[in-house]
Amino acid sequence: MKEMKYQSQFKSEVLDTGFCFGLLYYIMNLGTHPTAYIKIPKGHKLYGKTDEKIYQEVDVHGGITYINDSITIENNQKIDGWFIGWDYGHYGDYMGIEELVPMEFRIGGKKWTTQEIYKELREACYQIQKGEDKR
């Protein structure tokens, strides 16, 4: 697990990946802020869904902000599958560009650690798998 390092320019770096409650996940550093993604397996009730169902089933920081049939990680490597994701670039979160803003306009937001993101990701994986039991 790599630690999140904020910067003012875009980058794409995998901080952590693996399986949590049987679900593939990625925690990414986009430079200015981190993101998290979970792959929804075929056959799961959330697979292919783009509606309110996902927002009701999975409660994460700032809400789900990404739903797509792939993600792109380091070196433009595309990973196919049904992914949901969320980011840590909301009001109240630290953004790498903050150092470029005059001091009086900085908000001094929260700098998320990879471990904190993993803890929330683990809870999201649990929510997804627990929700599958409700069929």
Side-chain angles (χ1 to χ4, degrees):
M1 184 179 292
K2 296 179 187 174
E3 197 47 57
M4 175 63 193
K5 293 183 181 162
Y6 291 83
Q7 65 181 44
S8 61
Q9 288 149 11
F10 176 82
K11 72 189 250 181
S12 180
E13 174 188 27
V14 175
L15 298 174
D16 194 33
T17 186
F19 289 87
C20 180
F21 292 105
L23 300 173
L24 177 64
Y25 72 88
Y26 288 87
I27 299 174
M28 301 286 298
N29 175 354
L30 298 186
T32 58
H33 64 282
T35 60
Y37 303 95
I38 298 172
K39 183 177 181 183
I40 306 296
K42 284 184 180 177
H44 189 284
K45 70 180 182 179
L46 296 180
Y47 183 85
K49 300 290 184 197
T50 60
D51 59 14
E52 286 296 313
K53 185 93 173 138
I54 290 176
Y55 305 107
Q56 294 167 357
E57 295 279 333
V58 186
D59 181 26
V60 293
H61 175 77
I64 299 296
T65 56
Y66 184 89
I67 302 171
N68 208 322
D69 63 358
S70 67
I71 61 170
T72 302
I73 59 171
E74 296 173 331
N75 303 316
N76 290 323
Q77 180 184 358
K78 183 180 174 187
I79 309 292
D80 291 323
W82 196 253
F83 284 90
I84 64 169
W86 61 98
D87 65 86
Y88 294 83
H90 300 275
Y91 182 79
D93 294 332
Y94 181 85
M95 293 288 285
I97 59 171
E98 189 160 330
E99 303 307 316
L100 303 176
V101 176
M103 191 65 98
E104 63 268 17
F105 297 113
R106 296 181 188 179
I107 62 167
K110 176 170 178 42
K111 287 186 176 183
W112 290 86
T113 68
T114 307
Q115 189 63 38
E116 289 172 322
I117 296 166
Y118 177 76
K119 184 177 178 184
E120 183 170 54
L121 184 137
R122 186 171 165 78
E123 178 61 30
C125 288
Y126 176 75
Q127 291 171 24
I128 292 166
Q129 294 297 50
K130 181 179 165 203
E132 188 64 1
D133 293 341
K134 296 179 188 174
R135 279 187 176 196

